[in-house]
Amino acid sequence: MSQVCVVGTGYVGLTTAVGLAHLGHTVIGADINDEKIATLQAGGVPFVEEGMADLLAEGLRRKRLSFTTDVATAVSKAEFVLLCLPTPQGADGNADLSAVRAAVKSMARHLAADSVVITKSTVPVGSAFEITTLIDRGDVMVVSNPEFLREGTAIHDFMHPDRIVIGAQDQAAAARAVSLYLKLAAPIVVTDPVSAEIIKYVANSFLATKISYANAVARLCEETSADVRDVLLGVGYDTRIGHEFLKPGPGWGGSCFPKDTQALLSLARQYGFEFEPLVGAVAVNDQQKARVVDKIMKLTDKKNPVVGIWGLTFKARTDDIRDSPSIAIAEALIERGAKVVGYDPTVENEIGQITVSSDPYAALDGADVLAVLTEWEEFRWLDAEKAAEAMRGRGVVDARNILSRSNWEHAGFEYVGIGT
Ligand code: UGA
């Protein structure tokens, strides 16, 4: 078992830290945010993620997991340093590597002899080479090992990966990186660093394209009166296609797909070509949000309607609202004169001009239309009759196709789904 330092304790870093500690490694999580480190040392999880609190408690109890703000000392004792730092979208569409660069520069001389530095969060193509140059030490190897964790199921994804990708110039460094994951039963793809970095962008862009494809199919179903649920059920049973990421919705969002698709488009442009399938996928995604706004506005003749929204996060089982389609849709509604009141199981505070209620029915007080924008399981079971009592209008847009049409129609609602 190895001594590991995880630099950056966000979604990726914390999942990696608690996961590796669970596998038996001794892990120290380092972050410059002292508030976050204090929370973690006390066993608190700063965001919603199923199973995280238990694994954190386990790691702390077994003394396999600790946290610090002293990055230099933490890296000096580690055989492996995993970089899990944010790479936000830069002005040119590419991921911005400045946080990674700054961290690498300040830690380079503190790294232990013969240690391996691993890039884990999504970094621009070519980063492993750039980091190697920045470290400028013959004894330290840099390996690309992209993560494929989904928020909401990150712990499960860590423990049951579809594959592990290791990109290294040096075979010994690759073998050492592989040793971190020996307890996991997953295929391991060992390749060069650039290929590993591209694998991550292509995987996310392909999944985003698949969802956009489903959203375009949903539109076709609406035009032809087909039912998208049956169509995609019939299509997804083809094992070459599969059911996953084939669900239509209000468009994809979050901290990864929007940023990573732009980065891939921008990378292709640097080499003089348009990555056409992705151009289409991004266009469909923008249209999809606008189509949901139109569906909502069509259900009311009020000039300044009141719209109740169930679901503000970018998907269920998270409290993350970064690049959430719900927020984009709410803002577009406000722009068109609507008043918006939202409810979400994990969101408490108002977001810009979006009022947030702590109760799903209170959020519908006097509403003309209800829009369901995130697929929280609990929304399926909310009472249509009670919603009708709270509202003044009778329109519901179910952008995740999770409500029972018959229940809502029975309560007097005009029900509009996506492609159904
Ligand atoms: C995504 C990838 O799925 C992970 O493999 C990857 O590691 C991660 O990005 C990352 O790069 O860090 P995540 O952003 O957490 O994970 O969320 P997803 O579950 O992929 O959902 C992305 C968006 O697509 C959400 O807005 C979701 O509602 C939407 N979606 C997903 C659909 O509209 N339909 C689907 O069938 C699936």
Side-chain angles (χ1 to χ4, degrees), residues 147-149 151 200 204 245 247 253 256 314-315 400:
E147 56 81 21
F148 300 98
L149 312 167
E151 284 179 29
K200 175 58 191 277
N204 270 2
F245 281 68
K247 280 188 216 75
C256 305
F314 81 100
K315 63 173 182 178
R400 298 280 186 170

Side-chain angles (χ1 to χ4, degrees), residues 25-95:
H25 302 290
T26 304
V27 183
I28 183 159
D31 202 299
I32 50 172
N33 182 332
D34 43 12
E35 212 176 301
K36 203 192 256 181
I37 290 300
T39 305
L40 293 168
Q41 281 168 334
V45 181
F47 46 81
V48 171
E49 188 62 55
E50 206 172 297
M52 184 70 83
D54 290 345
L55 277 200
L56 175 62
E58 177 197 277
L60 293 170
R61 194 178 60 245
R62 292 188 169 173
K63 304 218 179 311
R64 285 198 202 136
L65 190 55
S66 58
F67 295 94
T68 184
T69 50
D70 183 356
V71 184
T73 306
V75 301
S76 71
K77 295 177 184 151
E79 296 161 66
F80 295 93
V81 172
L82 276 65
L83 301 178
C84 301
L85 294 156
T87 49
Q89 193 174 321
D92 58 356
N94 272 315

Side-chain angles (χ1 to χ4, degrees), residues 11-12 49 120-122 146-154 157 163 200 203-204 207-208 210-212 214-215 243-260 285 313-316 318 320 322-325 373-375 399-400:
Y11 287 93
V12 174
E49 188 62 55
K120 195 99 189 99
S121 50
T122 310
E147 56 81 21
F148 300 98
L149 312 167
R150 290 163 298 177
E151 284 179 29
T153 53
D157 294 346
R163 76 311 210 177
K200 175 58 191 277
N204 270 2
L207 291 169
K210 197 174 176 194
I211 301 165
S212 279
N215 283 332
H243 290 295
E244 279 195 80
F245 281 68
L246 205 55
K247 280 188 216 75
W252 35 264
S255 66
C256 305
F257 284 2
K259 172 169 81 79
D260 292 353
N285 202 48
T313 51
F314 81 100
K315 63 173 182 178
T318 177
D320 197 346
R322 286 177 293 173
D323 252 319
S324 170
L373 301 182
T374 306
E375 75 286 20
R400 298 280 186 170

Side-chain angles (χ1 to χ4, degrees), residues 76 86 128 146-147 171 194 200 226 243 275 299 347 358 373 387:
S76 71
E147 56 81 21
Q171 282 197 352
V194 172
K200 175 58 191 277
H243 290 295
F275 201 102
L299 284 180
V347 179
S358 58
L373 301 182

Side-chain angles (χ1 to χ4, degrees), residues 55 63 91 115 124 136 141-142 181 206 224 241 285 291 326 328-329 354 356 371 386 388-389 392 402:
L55 277 200
K63 304 218 179 311
S115 55
D136 192 24
M141 295 296 157
V142 179
Y181 302 106
F206 197 88
T224 55
I241 298 173
N285 202 48
R291 292 186 69 242
S326 309
I329 289 165
I354 309 164
V356 175
K386 220 169 147 186
E389 271 168 38
R392 85 178 156 191
I402 57 168

